[in-house]
Every structure is written in structure tokens, then in C-alpha cells.
Amino acid sequence: MFLFHKKEKAAKPEKKDNEPSAKVDREELLREANELLEQIDSVDGAEKCDLLERRGKLLMDAGEDDAAIEAFEACVANGKRMGVPYRSLTTLYNRKRKAAAESGDQDGAKLYLDKLQSLMQNSKDMLRGK
């Protein structure tokens, strides 16, 4: 019959104490995000959308969901761009909707559900060329 052999698990390399941590400091992320504000105000078009997207990613990584939502929404409004802004907004809206539902805030849960539906409709409209 068939013989199945278990594959040996590869040994994970041990992390040494003197190796730099992969996790970036929250304050550093916020500092970088705030430095982008001046640049964002001085540019237009695709470059502005690029900077807003970058700011949104930094804020999201720092755990500043409300500010990240603001940056990604501005990016979508300025550049009609899908991809990272839409995926990130979907993640953030779902996170906010779930937190509102768990805390019993039905109005907050409905707000973020409505935002999700609007985002999905906008993406469909963009794909259809509307």
C-alpha cells in the first residue's frame, strides 16, 4: 500500500540578543506619518495620493485607526485609487464595526457597515467605468 513519510521540520534559527528587532517603534511610525503632512499639503494628484497612502499605512501600523481611515479616505477621494487604500479601509472599517458591535454600540456598527457597503459600491463603479 502507500507509505507516508513525515517530513522533518526545519529547525528555526535562534534569534540572537544583539539582532535588531523587526518591530518598529510606535513613536517612530507616528513621527514619520506626521512628517508627511507638510509634503501632502504641497503636492497634488497622484503624488498626493501616494503620500496619503504612505501616511495611512504608517498610522495603521502604529494602531491609529481613526487617523489611518482619514488618510486612506483622502487618498481615495483625491486619486480614485483602488488597491492598498481600499484593502486597508476594508480592514479598518471591519475592525471598527466589530469593536462597536462588541461594545453594544449599534449605531457605530451600522455606521461602519454602511461605510463598507459604500466602499464596495465605489469599487464596483470604478471597475465599471462610472
Side-chain angles (χ1 to χ4, degrees), residues 67-79:
I69 288 171
E70 186 179 310
F72 287 126
E73 285 176 343
C75 178
V76 168
N78 279 293

Side-chain angles (χ1 to χ4, degrees), residues 72-88:
F72 287 126
E73 285 176 343
C75 178
V76 168
N78 279 293
K80 300 291 184 200
R81 181 178 296 181
M82 295 178 72
V84 172
Y86 272 75
R87 281 193 315 272
S88 299

Side-chain angles (χ1 to χ4, degrees), residues 63-123:
E64 294 293 325
D65 291 351
D66 291 330
I69 288 171
E70 186 179 310
F72 287 126
E73 285 176 343
C75 178
V76 168
N78 279 293
K80 300 291 184 200
R81 181 178 296 181
M82 295 178 72
V84 172
Y86 272 75
R87 281 193 315 272
S88 299
L89 281 171
T90 300
T91 299
L92 291 166
Y93 289 162
N94 273 320
R95 195 181 296 169
K96 297 290 277 183
R97 181 193 51 78
K98 182 180 177 185
E102 287 174 352
S103 69
D105 178 11
Q106 296 303 316
D107 291 335
K110 183 179 178 344
L111 170 72
Y112 285 103
L113 181 61
D114 291 345
K115 285 185 174 237
L116 275 166
Q117 290 174 339
S118 176
L119 187 68
M120 293 302 110
Q121 186 59 50
N122 288 343
S123 68

